[in-house]
Amino acid sequence: VLVSFSPASVTVQAFTGTYGINYGRIANNILSPDDVVTLLRAAKIKNVRIYDFDHSVLKAFSGTGLELVVGLPNENLRDVSANADHAMNWVKDNVLAYLPDTHIRGIAIGNEVLGTSEEFSGFLLGAVKNVYNALDKLKLSHLVQITTAHSQAVFDDSFPPSSCVFKDNVVQYMKPLLEFFSQIGSPFCLNAYPFLAYMYNKDQIDINYALFLPTKGADDPKTKLHYDNLLDAQIDAAYAALEDAGYGKMEVIVTETGWASHGDENEAAATANNARTYNYNLRKRLAKMKGTPLRPKSVLKVYVFAIFNENLKPGPTSERNFGLFKPDGSISYDIGFHGFKSSSADSPLLSLKVR
């Protein structure tokens, strides 16, 4: 695939600021997109990611100033990878048609494609290149950033952070992807969940370390760096893997993190109190505008998962309980945001002035 690079193509930034949120909609009881816009503007959350390209959402975000990353779902990768015309039509229909009124700042090509199953792995790079080429031909590559988000399943040995490398079965797909992203100036996007790491390693991990609470922390014997929270360690593990692969200068952005407020019997850590603690302390951490121990000058950027509890998500109970807000827009727990007033059915106005 031929790609033309212009100097402007490496300046696009899909994420301004430090705090964003994921707008998942696998639910049949959540607020309308227009009400979600009101909720987000009141919370002063500007950076939003969706997992598809739903036109009702794209219309609702028009004229709001909110900055949106849209998703090309995994099931679309094969067609878009195989056919440049499909990619062009997709970009025209779902991005170009809504610009400039809807501030679409990025396209996430697939989600957690590598490292879990190989069903879509072979189509990821082709889809990335075809969508980028379409943007470039439409003179949009300086406005809309291309990314893909990875789970931690792409890594081997993530502790200590300095030992982290990409898994052998991932490298064949990851290396050319990183090479292309380094050429167009895209970041490495990581879905990082201290909640899951703690759930799988309760014997080894202090829950205070996972929740940004005071703890003795952990030291990396190779770098001599000290970690006082698990999220920083997970991010620096990604930086170490990138360094090992030859892309140590690539920025890491956290595209998902969060903590479940309710779970099954075997998910004892999934409580409202732990979720409140994690998300409140994460906001404080991001407000400091600082980087990680390994990359102290790279200010951390994080999209929290998620706006809502999503009642139709499959899997354990925790999967349906990551929302900062309940389906009616009231807060799940207090971390400083004001939700819709749940007490007044006839007046779904926010208790906070929209600015």
Side-chain angles (χ1 to χ4, degrees):
V1 181
L2 291 174
V3 180
S4 60
F5 297 107
S6 61
S9 69
V10 297
T11 62
V12 58
Q13 291 282 329
F15 196 149
T16 53
T18 63
Y19 192 93
I21 201 161
N22 287 280
Y23 176 14
R25 299 187 342 278
I26 306 176
N28 61 7
N29 60 352
I30 57 177
L31 297 177
S32 71
D34 287 322
D35 283 340
V36 170
V37 164
T38 307
L39 194 67
L40 292 171
R41 292 178 78 180
K44 298 184 175 60
I45 299 175
K46 188 178 182 182
N47 299 286
V48 187
R49 289 171 62 88
I50 58 174
Y51 292 89
D52 55 19
F53 45 93
D54 186 276
H55 289 185
S56 67
V57 175
L58 299 185
K59 287 174 186 170
F61 275 65
S62 176
T64 64
L66 299 175
E67 303 199 337
L68 192 63
V69 173
V70 299
L72 179 75
N74 292 357
E75 55 267 27
N76 294 83
L77 295 178
R78 185 191 300 262
D79 285 347
V80 170
S81 173
N83 191 313
D85 288 339
H86 285 182
M88 177 61 80
N89 290 334
W90 187 90
V91 171
K92 284 181 176 177
D93 292 345
N94 303 298
V95 179
L96 180 64
Y98 293 90
L99 294 173
D101 294 342
T102 300
H103 289 186
I104 299 173
R105 304 299 305 272
I107 304 171
I109 311 292
N111 185 52
E112 299 190 348
V113 173
L114 304 183
T116 45
S117 81
E118 297 208 356
E119 184 181 0
F120 305 109
S121 298
F123 308 119
L124 181 58
L125 182 61
V128 163
K129 288 184 173 180
N130 279 347
V131 171
Y132 179 83
N133 276 342
L135 289 172
D136 210 39
K137 286 176 182 173
L138 295 169
K139 297 186 168 43
L140 297 175
S141 59
H142 67 293
L143 290 174
V144 182
Q145 187 181 66
I146 299 289
T147 61
T148 188
H150 303 287
S151 77
Q152 291 179 295
V154 299
F155 300 131
D156 250 343
D157 302 324
S158 59
F159 192 83
S162 61
S163 68
C164 188
V165 294
F166 291 111
K167 284 180 178 173
D168 289 343
N169 64 337
V170 166
V171 170
Q172 61 175 315
Y173 303 111
M174 187 66 79
K175 278 279 189 78
L177 188 67
L178 294 175
E179 175 58 29
F180 186 74
F181 279 161
S182 72
Q183 289 176 308
I184 65 172
S186 290
F188 182 88
C189 292
L190 176 67
N191 295 344
Y193 284 94
F195 169 73
L196 295 176
Y198 173 76
M199 292 278 290
Y200 296 138
N201 302 279
K202 291 189 189 77
D203 296 340
Q204 287 83 40
I205 297 174
D206 175 6
I207 194 166
N208 289 346
Y209 181 61
L211 291 172
F212 303 96
L213 290 171
T215 174
K216 66 178 182 180
D219 294 304
D220 189 318
K222 181 180 174 184
T223 61
K224 304 292 190 283
L225 294 171
H226 177 75
Y227 290 88
D228 60 16
N229 71 82
L230 181 51
L231 183 65
D232 278 5
Q234 290 179 327
I235 295 164
D236 278 357
Y239 276 121
L242 289 168
E243 186 92 46
D244 178 74
Y247 299 94
K249 292 182 179 177
M250 188 172 285
E251 181 184 17
V252 174
I253 289 177
V254 177
T255 33
E256 283 182 25
T257 193
W259 198 285
S261 60
H262 185 58
D264 294 319
E265 281 186 20
N266 65 342
E267 299 179 302
T271 68
N273 188 53
N274 284 345
R276 189 199 71 79
T277 300
Y278 183 82
N279 281 295
Y280 179 76
N281 286 335
L282 175 64
R283 282 190 76 193
K284 283 205 306 185
R285 160 76 180 82
L286 294 171
K288 292 177 181 175
M289 304 283 289
K290 67 173 189 173
T292 59
L294 193 62
R295 294 285 188 276
K297 292 181 181 176
S298 295
V299 175
L300 189 56
K301 299 175 180 177
V302 170
Y303 289 93
V304 173
F305 187 84
I307 299 178
F308 295 118
N309 291 335
E310 296 173 78
N311 68 332
L312 298 182
K313 286 198 82 174
T317 297
S318 59
E319 283 291 310
R320 295 179 285 284
N321 288 280
F322 274 89
L324 300 186
F325 298 92
K326 295 176 182 176
D328 65 358
S330 61
I331 57 173
S332 295
Y333 40 80
D334 185 8
I335 62 166
F337 294 132
H338 296 263
F340 279 97
K341 291 178 180 175
S342 55
S343 58
S344 175
D346 61 346
S347 178
L349 295 173
L350 287 150
S351 55
L352 184 71
K353 285 185 180 176
V354 178
R355 292 181 182 178

